Amino acid sequence: MPQHLAQSSSTTSAQDSGMLMIHPQLESYQWLILNKQGPKQIFPGNKRGVRLLAVTEQAIQVIENDVTHVLETNSVFYCRPKLQLQIRAAQDIKTRVLELNFKDALSCSYLDELQRQYGRKLRIPPNLKAIHATQQLAQRNPSPKEVFYWISMLHEFAEQGRLNLGKLLAGGPDTLSTIAKRNQFSLKSIAYALNCPASHLLKCWKNRGYPPLVQLLRTQRMALVKQLLSESEMGLQTIARLCGYSGASAFCAAFRTAENTTPSQWRTTNSTKPTPPAKISQSTQPKKSPAPKANQDQNPICLWGLPYFQFDGGLTNSEYKKPFNLAMNSITSAICWVYTLEGHALFEVDGHKLDVGPNTVVIHPKPMFGRWSTPDGKPWSRIWLQMRDPWSLQTMHYLTKKHGWVLKIPQDSAPVKMARKWVNRWNAGRGAPSVERSQIAHDWLCTWESLLTSNAVQSVSFPDLRQFESPEFYRKIGKINDYAKSIGYSRSYLTRCLRRQWQGGTPAQIVRRHRLAQAATELTNTNESISRIASNALYANTSAFITAFKREYNCTPLAYRYQHNS
């Protein structure tokens, strides 16, 4: 299983005791002054924690094991631990670079995942807000929320660049034409706008089987030049600037080389014959995979993996016609936060019964040997959140161990207000990772911890619910029959129960759909081999997985990866 989609043994042991994974901290910082004639700055690498170099002024060079890395302005470099570094100004001018050191669990985990997924060079968004936030880190003691915002800002910009690159590769030459115009047909500018090296862009473009990128940019630029010459009265200097030439003389020289005439002569001859920009045949573009079938659940539950806080849930006002069994309802492990707005419900676990009324929140693991019911048959208005990522699980385990599993809190408290505002968006987007929704989930956890330490919470005595956790079958059991045996039910009884609790097909169909949806997520967000992903999805062999995947998504796993993964 991919590292970021599975809980390692160290993570699991940390969850057993619980850990507060919501307070990232900047351990230390310093400005490193680089003199134009002075010696290179040499300093040893960290033995623990994560160290970054943030470049906000002039470009610098970092020498590491005789390998030179050039860091442009507004970039961040992830330094490998235990290695000595040499840094110097890239140009013969005085400049400075900001060194940032992190040692807390959340910051290190987050930054480790970012460098694994996006590389050691990250970019600071080229806007005043982001640059100011970076400089503020070294001007005062930043709060945990400010530190988390800064790291997630790097994450969001890196992810947006990856998505934009994916759109370019999926759209091919037609999409390239639009992006190239915005960046004056410069390969370097296009790569910078997509937040990736030019060499990586060229490699990805070549792998898609498109015409050579540099040649295509020249063709599209010349097509635009001809269009402007024939359809407008712009001067040569203006056309040269719009099309990315250094000046009118360079433009005229390039045009004469390509067309064996001057731009003015060509305009005189062709002013009444507009030449539209050249288009590449659609047959050269890869076939797009269609969306999943319309009669299926469009938002199956997928584990995003790190570095995301992952929430979903719902807001409803209904009763249970039959008890809702928590031991057989969960496809993935989660911590559930259930808050009653109006009405009453009965929560039962191992002979313990709790009458849950308004203003009561019950936190419980999932799956577990317990159940919900509404004995009075009246609607029960509640809001519930489900937290699925390792960071949230560790944090909630820590907080429940300290403050309890059942509490009474006011409806006008900040966590309830935030949950009501965001739960539908969390749930609607549960099938696709989102930095924004992850940020809001982190804010909610901070708000929840703050409320627990106030005088507005009343604890209700109830047993530790972790002792009642039941086996979860995610990535462990591929068939309903095996799952029924593992929890002590017959297949027929389990199927009848699941049909009442699950919607969108038979239990076997739903489980298979979620397994394939998780495989699609891994195809998009990891570089794992098809055979490894097939094994993760519990298929006996790669051929069976490819057949099932093609039946679900109307394309092979490899075609799906090319379509969605840059």
Side-chain angles (χ1 to χ4, degrees):
M1 187 184 302
Q3 181 180 357
H4 74 295
L5 293 172
Q7 294 178 8
S8 65
S9 58
S10 60
T11 301
T12 304
S13 61
Q15 288 183 9
D16 291 340
S17 59
M19 184 182 298
L20 202 58
M21 296 287 288
I22 55 176
H23 293 317
Q25 294 180 346
L26 178 62
E27 181 74 15
S28 63
Y29 65 87
Q30 63 172 326
W31 285 104
L32 303 173
I33 308 300
L34 305 180
N35 299 315
K36 61 180 181 179
Q37 294 181 347
K40 303 172 185 177
Q41 294 280 344
I42 303 176
F43 51 102
N46 281 339
K47 295 183 179 180
R48 63 186 183 92
V50 172
R51 180 179 57 180
L52 303 178
L53 297 179
V55 183
T56 59
E57 298 180 2
Q58 301 296 327
I60 67 168
Q61 292 180 347
V62 178
I63 298 92
E64 181 184 70
N65 283 352
D66 297 326
V67 176
T68 300
H69 305 273
V70 178
L71 304 184
E72 302 291 341
T73 306
N74 297 334
S75 63
V76 172
F77 184 71
Y78 178 99
C79 302
R80 295 192 187 280
K82 302 181 182 180
L83 289 180
Q84 287 190 342
L85 296 178
Q86 300 177 5
I87 61 175
R88 64 185 179 192
Q91 301 176 357
D92 191 23
I93 56 176
K94 182 178 180 180
T95 187
R96 62 179 184 170
V97 60
L98 179 61
E99 178 191 359
L100 304 170
N101 292 285
F102 303 88
K103 293 184 180 179
D104 65 280
L106 177 57
S107 296
C108 293
S109 176
Y110 203 158
L111 292 168
D112 285 342
E113 283 297 324
L114 291 185
Q115 73 88 19
R116 192 188 66 79
Q117 293 190 32
Y118 304 104
R120 299 175 62 193
K121 296 180 183 179
L122 298 172
R123 280 187 56 205
I124 301 170
N127 57 65
L128 292 177
K129 184 178 180 180
I131 297 172
H132 178 71
T134 303
Q135 294 173 343
Q136 284 290 98
L137 293 177
Q139 294 179 4
R140 57 187 174 85
N141 187 24
S143 67
K145 186 174 182 179
E146 290 173 322
V147 174
F148 183 81
Y149 167 78
W150 185 79
I151 298 176
S152 60
M153 176 187 65
L154 300 178
H155 181 194
E156 186 171 29
F157 195 63
E159 179 64 12
Q160 188 59 52
R162 187 185 71 85
L163 293 175
N164 289 339
L165 177 58
K167 291 177 182 178
L168 171 61
L169 296 176
D174 287 342
T175 304
L176 174 66
S177 178
T178 303
I179 297 177
K181 288 178 183 178
R182 292 200 301 263
N183 294 277
Q184 287 76 47
F185 298 91
S186 165
L187 176 63
K188 185 176 181 180
S189 297
I190 294 172
Y192 187 82
L194 297 175
N195 197 18
C196 71
S199 58
H200 180 66
L201 174 57
L202 288 170
K203 179 181 178 181
C204 293
W205 187 266
K206 181 179 179 180
N207 290 341
R208 292 300 180 95
Y210 293 130
L213 181 57
V214 175
Q215 178 182 341
L216 193 57
L217 287 173
R218 291 173 181 169
T219 301
Q220 291 186 346
R221 177 163 70 169
M222 187 57 64
L224 179 60
V225 165
K226 292 180 178 181
Q227 181 182 10
L228 295 176
L229 285 172
S230 62
E231 298 180 4
S232 73
E233 297 180 356
M234 293 181 181
L236 298 185
Q237 183 71 33
T238 303
I239 294 176
R241 177 177 54 81
L242 290 175
C243 295
Y245 292 96
S246 59
S249 58
F251 163 52
C252 292
F255 193 92
R256 178 183 286 275
T257 301
E259 301 295 328
N260 199 28
T261 185
T262 67
S264 298
Q265 292 172 341
W266 190 94
R267 169 177 271 174
T268 301
T269 307
N270 299 274
S271 60
T272 60
K273 299 178 181 180
T275 304
K279 281 193 174 183
I280 305 301
S281 171
Q282 294 291 332
S283 61
T284 63
Q285 300 187 26
K287 184 178 179 181
K288 293 185 178 181
S289 58
K293 302 177 180 63
N295 62 340
Q296 294 183 357
D297 182 3
Q298 298 299 315
N299 293 305
I301 299 171
C302 304
L303 291 183
W304 301 351
L306 298 178
Y308 293 96
F309 287 92
Q310 182 179 357
F311 281 25
D312 56 77
L315 177 63
T316 189
N317 182 26
S318 62
E319 71 280 1
Y320 289 125
K321 296 181 178 179
K322 292 189 176 182
F324 191 82
N325 194 327
L326 296 171
M328 62 177 66
N329 183 56
S330 185
I331 290 182
T332 69
S333 294
I335 287 288
C336 296
W337 182 91
V338 185
Y339 183 77
T340 299
L341 299 170
E342 294 180 1
H344 287 264
L346 182 64
F347 182 66
E348 301 176 81
V349 55
D350 194 38
H352 300 276
K353 296 183 179 182
L354 178 68
D355 180 34
V356 180
N359 303 335
T360 302
V361 59
V362 176
I363 306 166
H364 64 80
K366 188 179 179 182
M368 65 172 294
F369 293 111
R371 66 180 189 174
W372 285 101
S373 61
T374 50
D376 59 7
K378 296 180 180 180
W380 173 36
S381 178
R382 72 270 189 193
I383 183 171
W384 76 94
L385 303 178
Q386 297 185 110
M387 309 162 201
R388 304 182 186 277
D389 63 279
W391 291 340
S392 297
L393 295 180
Q394 293 180 48
T395 297
M396 293 302 288
H397 288 157
Y398 174 87
L399 294 175
T400 52
K401 183 178 180 180
K402 188 174 181 180
H403 301 280
W405 295 86
V406 182
L407 307 107
K408 287 187 175 292
I409 62 175
Q411 289 196 20
D412 61 353
S413 60
V416 177
K417 290 181 178 179
M418 284 188 66
R420 298 184 75 155
K421 178 180 179 180
W422 283 94
V423 65
N424 289 333
R425 289 187 62 180
W426 280 327
N427 196 56
R430 69 184 186 181
S434 166
V435 178
E436 179 194 21
R437 293 193 292 273
S438 174
Q439 289 175 332
I440 302 301
H442 172 263
D443 288 348
W444 186 91
L445 285 169
C446 293
T447 304
W448 176 241
E449 189 226 0
S450 178
L451 179 68
L452 292 178
T453 57
S454 69
N455 296 324
V457 175
Q458 178 184 349
S459 180
V460 178
S461 178
F462 207 70
D464 183 357
L465 295 180
R466 295 199 65 186
Q467 61 184 308
F468 305 114
E469 287 181 293
S470 61
E472 54 103 358
F473 67 95
Y474 182 72
R475 291 201 186 276
K476 295 180 181 178
I477 301 173
K479 298 180 180 179
I480 296 295
N481 191 45
D482 295 334
Y483 178 46
K485 290 180 181 179
S486 71
I487 61 176
Y489 293 135
S490 68
R491 177 188 172 90
S492 58
Y493 175 74
L494 177 63
T495 301
R496 288 197 304 271
C497 292
L498 290 178
R499 279 183 181 274
R500 292 196 297 265
Q501 298 188 178
W502 290 359
Q503 297 179 355
T506 66
Q509 290 172 338
I510 292 173
V511 170
R512 181 170 59 252
R513 191 181 310 150
H514 283 278
R515 287 160 54 198
L516 291 172
Q518 185 66 54
T521 299
E522 294 181 24
L523 286 167
T524 302
N525 297 304
T526 76
N527 293 321
E528 291 289 345
S529 65
I530 303 297
S531 59
R532 182 65 180 272
I533 293 175
S535 176
N536 292 341
L538 302 180
Y539 281 89
N541 53 64
T542 305
S543 298
F545 167 66
I546 293 175
T547 301
F549 192 93
K550 190 173 182 179
R551 187 184 303 118
E552 184 75 12
Y553 292 95
N554 294 325
C555 67
T556 65
L558 189 59
Y560 186 93
R561 168 171 276 173
Y562 276 137
Q563 175 63 29
H564 294 85
N565 186 8
S566 59

